[in-house]
Amino acid sequence: MGSGTEVIDVLIIGAGAAGLFCGARAAERGLSVQVVDHAKKPAEKVRISGGGRCNFTNLHTEPSRFISENPYFAKSALARYTPADFLDHLRARDITWREKKLGQLFCDEKSTRVIRMLLDDLETAGGELRLGVRVGAVEARDDGYAIETSQGRQFARNVVIATGGLSIPKMGATGYAYDVARAFGHRIVTPRPALVPFTLSGRLKETAAALSGVACDARIATADGTEFDEAILFTHRGLSGPAVLQASSYWKEGEPVTVNLAPNAHDHLQTEKENHPNHSLARALEATLPARLVGALPDLLIEDGPDAADLTRRLGDIRNARLSKIDHALTGWTLRPAGTEGWRTAEVTTGGVSVDDISSRTMESKRAAGLYFIGECVDVTGWLGGYNFQWAWASAAAAAEALGA
Ligand code: FDA
């Protein structure tokens, strides 16, 4: 199909969340559709997502939870295909889910159930899937596009690029979308690893490594003032946990981040001193922080933080001015990450094909009619918590509706 001289309606490159969803919806409209992927298995990132349970959407989806050079770009697609629409889709296929926290919806079954749904939808609608296909350049012709593949030259009236971002190269991530986009004159917003742990260096790294596995609630703020209230986790290399992953999407190399280790305990130490003057400082801190972290505070909070002797002192023996300095050090721990763990562990890519020259209504290139970019390859990146899949579904639905129209 589509090779030799036959021209199919739609060739979708990339059989991930966006490509498969788009393929089924376009085929349901009666278009001839082929989805190709160089990997041997489709939708591998769906499989590993959400700890194996696919956090497939978020009830609080709104444009402010997406990062893009143009914050308004995602609005149209997100408004026209909402989390409620995706839930209707799942309901019709007897797939059940639960909310874990913060509007994050996960499958009750394994994430492979979502992959099976995507594949069944495509097949039922008459779309074709070909795996293990290497894809080369996309060339414009009068009647559409010619695409070099390891299965010969393919011809299609429309081409949808759904090859995702650069994260996790060992799972087959490539910069293919950026190459195609550049070839048609699109600008690329520098791709950066996002939703990724921070690495630390020197003494801070050693302290974090010693605390590896310790987690606590925190508020983390990046230099641009973006804040996230969630858990942080110390690791052998530095810091992880949901709050850190979220902050990493807004962080730029060399910038500091500020961590509030007592977000819900304002003036906690003063109150403890009034109520329990005989308690040690360590005991007061352990009311809100893990004991191992309290023991390591002298190494972490170098400026104005408690030293080892302070930790054993009675609260009643510590002057109020000193307590408020310690409180200040706890709530404003400023550190400079050495970097991030990079593409190897990043969940997503910020940046990508600039939205300047893409229609926000249809995802079609403004430079090449019949060429579409959907999903993560576009410069739209969601927060942690199901937002990236919602973007994959919504951008795929927008393109599928417009294809061949
Ligand atoms: P996706 O990356 O899914 O698919 C792209 C496809 O294109 C792949 O099948 C790939 O093989 C193929 N491809 C690439 N280059 C090619 C080439 N040159 N030729 C042919 N084919 C090519 N999001 C979320 O909302 N909730 C969650 O729970 C999670 N969890 C999660 C965990 C982990 C570990 C990761 C890495 C990521 C997540 N994500 C997530 C992010 C989410 O997985 C991601 O945003 C979507 O899968 C993006 O969908 P796309 O279809 O755009 O790309």
Side-chain angles (χ1 to χ4, degrees):
M1 187 186 195
S3 52
T5 53
E6 191 193 348
V7 182
I8 58 168
D9 291 325
V10 187
L11 179 73
I12 299 179
I13 306 175
L20 290 172
F21 196 63
C22 182
R25 293 177 80 86
E28 277 161 16
R29 292 187 43 232
L31 300 171
S32 54
V33 174
Q34 190 181 125
V35 185
V36 296
D37 200 299
H38 67 166
K40 292 202 178 69
K41 290 184 182 169
E44 276 291 87
K45 282 192 184 162
V46 175
R47 185 178 60 77
I48 61 165
S49 67
R53 299 261 171 200
C54 189
N55 176 195
F56 55 78
T57 192
N58 194 297
L59 294 173
H60 307 314
T61 295
E62 53 170 272
S64 66
R65 278 146 197 237
F66 293 81
I67 304 163
S68 171
E69 268 190 356
N70 175 354
Y72 301 105
F73 178 82
K75 221 172 159 176
S76 166
L78 292 172
R80 282 180 300 126
Y81 193 86
T82 64
D85 292 322
F86 194 69
L87 294 183
D88 285 344
H89 196 83
L90 296 183
R91 222 177 264 117
R93 286 150 184 84
D94 292 329
I95 298 178
T96 56
W97 64 85
R98 71 191 57 191
E99 179 180 348
K100 282 207 179 154
K101 56 174 181 173
L102 305 170
Q104 302 169 3
L105 302 188
F106 289 75
C107 277
D108 284 332
E109 290 177 68
K110 288 194 174 155
S111 35
T112 44
R113 181 68 192 86
V114 174
I115 302 179
R116 207 163 78 234
M117 174 196 84
L118 293 168
L119 297 176
D120 287 351
D121 285 354
L122 180 68
E123 194 185 342
T124 308
E128 194 187 347
L129 171 64
R130 289 194 186 178
L131 298 169
V133 179
R134 285 195 311 281
V135 187
V138 175
E139 189 189 300
R141 301 189 340 157
D142 288 346
D143 57 351
Y145 294 91
I147 304 97
E148 292 299 338
T149 80
S150 53
Q151 299 194 338
R153 227 164 134 73
Q154 308 266 323
F155 300 98
R157 284 181 197 88
N158 301 278
V159 173
V160 180
I161 307 295
T163 49
L166 292 175
S167 54
I168 326 243
K170 79 165 194 256
M171 293 193 86
T174 69
Y176 179 80
Y178 314 146
D179 296 341
V180 174
R182 272 193 207 99
F184 284 91
H186 286 262
R187 185 169 64 83
I188 304 302
V189 179
T190 308
R192 289 188 304 115
L195 299 182
V196 62
F198 285 140
T199 55
L200 299 173
S201 59
R203 183 168 154 187
L204 213 46
K205 180 183 175 189
E206 282 166 30
T207 310
L211 287 171
S212 178
V214 171
C216 68
D217 285 336
R219 176 173 306 140
I220 181 161
T222 46
D224 65 358
T226 311
E227 288 187 345
F228 290 97
D229 266 34
E230 264 199 84
I232 64 166
L233 169 73
F234 291 87
T235 73
H236 282 293
R237 295 159 158 261
L239 282 177
S240 186
V244 169
L245 299 184
Q246 299 278 34
S248 74
S249 300
Y250 290 85
W251 178 77
K252 308 230 165 39
E253 194 103 3
E255 286 180 356
V257 294
T258 304
V259 181
N260 178 345
L261 289 169
N264 307 312
H266 187 62
D267 282 342
H268 165 72
L269 295 179
Q270 303 284 353
T271 316
E272 283 290 289
K273 180 177 172 180
E274 280 158 31
N275 295 338
H276 307 287
N278 285 327
H279 285 182
S280 67
L281 175 64
R283 183 165 173 190
L285 291 168
E286 282 167 20
T288 57
L289 292 172
R292 272 175 70 199
L293 177 54
V294 171
L297 287 176
D299 296 320
L300 282 181
L301 311 178
I302 295 165
E303 247 175 71
D304 290 335
D307 57 29
D310 284 331
L311 288 178
T312 56
R313 286 168 69 194
R314 281 175 71 251
L315 287 171
D317 294 339
I318 306 177
R319 302 228 314 263
N320 284 348
R322 176 75 189 119
L323 273 188
S324 87
K325 277 201 166 168
I326 293 172
D327 199 43
H328 195 71
L330 273 176
T331 53
W333 176 35
T334 299
L335 62 141
R336 218 171 277 275
T340 72
E341 288 189 8
W343 298 115
R344 190 179 59 81
T345 60
E347 283 197 14
V348 289
T349 301
T350 55
V353 182
S354 163
V355 298
D356 282 353
D357 288 332
I358 299 178
S359 156
S360 61
R361 204 177 55 79
T362 64
M363 301 294 131
E364 187 176 13
S365 164
K366 293 178 186 167
R367 293 178 165 267
L371 178 66
Y372 294 74
F373 294 92
I374 60 171
E376 199 182 313
C377 70
V378 179
D379 173 32
V380 173
T381 310
W383 284 8
L384 184 79
Y387 296 100
N388 285 294
F389 280 134
Q390 187 57 37
W391 170 246
W393 318 133
S395 58
E401 211 171 278
L403 276 162

